[in-house]
Amino acid sequence: MLLHDTALIYGRYLRQSLRSRFALLFGVLMPLLYLLFFGPLLTDLPLGGEGSSWQVLVPGLLLQLGLFGASFAGFSIIIEQSQGVVERMRVTPVSRLALLLGRVLRDATVFVFQAVLLVLAALVMGLRAPLPGVLIGFAFVGLLTVSLASLSYALAMKVRTPQEFGPAINAMTMPMMLLSGLMLPMTLGPTWLDVLSHFVPFRYLVDAVRDAYVGSYATTPMLYGVLVAIAFAALAVTVGTRVFRTAGA
């Protein structure tokens, strides 16, 4: 029943996304602008580590796509609450876990699709990366989306207005972006900033994807990235499911 209910909810929300093709393409616009206008500035600069500047920038842009897109996914719950959709779902026998999984899997599908578009554009710009590394990057985008979308939906169930939700999300995402080394490796900064960034779990995902893009798979950053991504996803889904059950979703 869980699989059936999840597939039902997933299909419902995926059809909504497919009907809004403009939103699908617009979601990848910001990382694409970074790629087009920021990427060429890094060409031939000594960024540290292995690989080209594109192999440093593109992994960060992929995870930036998941970070900001999934973090704001909860806005849809707030809209559904105002329209009475959530109230109608409360009286159905559908599993509360399925109500969450269907939504976050839809989000993961959308953002992985957008990640594919971003990588294709990066290949035109000059990115060269092994196919297994690129696929690993997509997997990390999917896991990150599941994690952050789960927490975003959980938070949205606790607040009532976009005016409360938006500032709370910004307060969480901005430090994650600045301290994770999305744009440039944190090793380029002062020692104290590099040390501080290790307390941000998001950094381990960035380092892992950058290793994958240069063909380094059996590395310590890759191991840490996989462990952090899986643990974060499990924790986020658990928290999200508990909120959906107690709130009646």
Side-chain angles (χ1 to χ4, degrees), residues 79-100:
I79 295 173
E80 288 181 350
Q81 286 178 324
S82 65
Q83 295 176 344
V85 176
V86 173
E87 289 294 332
R88 291 194 293 271
M89 284 187 172
R90 283 176 176 168
V91 300
T92 67
V94 176
S95 164
R96 296 305 183 251
L97 176 57
L99 289 175
L100 175 65

Side-chain angles (χ1 to χ4, degrees), residues 2 6 11 15 24 29 36 38 47-48 50 55 65 72 74 85 89 128 141 159-160 166 172-174 180 194 209-210:
L2 176 61
T6 300
R15 286 191 295 272
L24 283 175
L29 179 61
L36 295 176
F38 185 67
L47 301 179
E50 303 177 10
Q55 290 169 305
L65 180 67
F72 286 93
V85 176
M89 284 187 172
R128 296 297 178 265
V141 171
V159 301
R160 294 300 176 186
M172 291 184 289
T173 55
M174 288 306 296
S180 62
D194 186 29
V209 178
R210 283 183 175 144

Side-chain angles (χ1 to χ4, degrees), residues 4 9 12 16 22 49 53 55 62 86 92 97 101 116 119 121 141 143 149 193 195 197 200 227 231 245-246:
H4 175 270
I9 299 300
R12 177 184 188 273
Q16 287 183 357
F22 179 77
S53 60
Q55 290 169 305
L62 288 176
V86 173
T92 67
L97 176 57
L101 290 180
V116 171
V119 170
V141 171
L143 277 174
L193 193 59
V195 171
S197 70
V200 179
L227 293 177
R245 284 173 176 165
T246 56

Side-chain angles (χ1 to χ4, degrees), residues 6 26 34 56 63 72 90 94 101 116 118 121 127 149 152 159 174 178 184 222 234 236:
T6 300
F26 188 78
Y34 273 107
V56 172
L63 294 177
F72 286 93
R90 283 176 176 168
V94 176
L101 290 180
V116 171
L118 182 63
L127 170 69
S152 180
V159 301
M174 288 306 296
L178 296 174
L184 295 171
M222 179 63 69

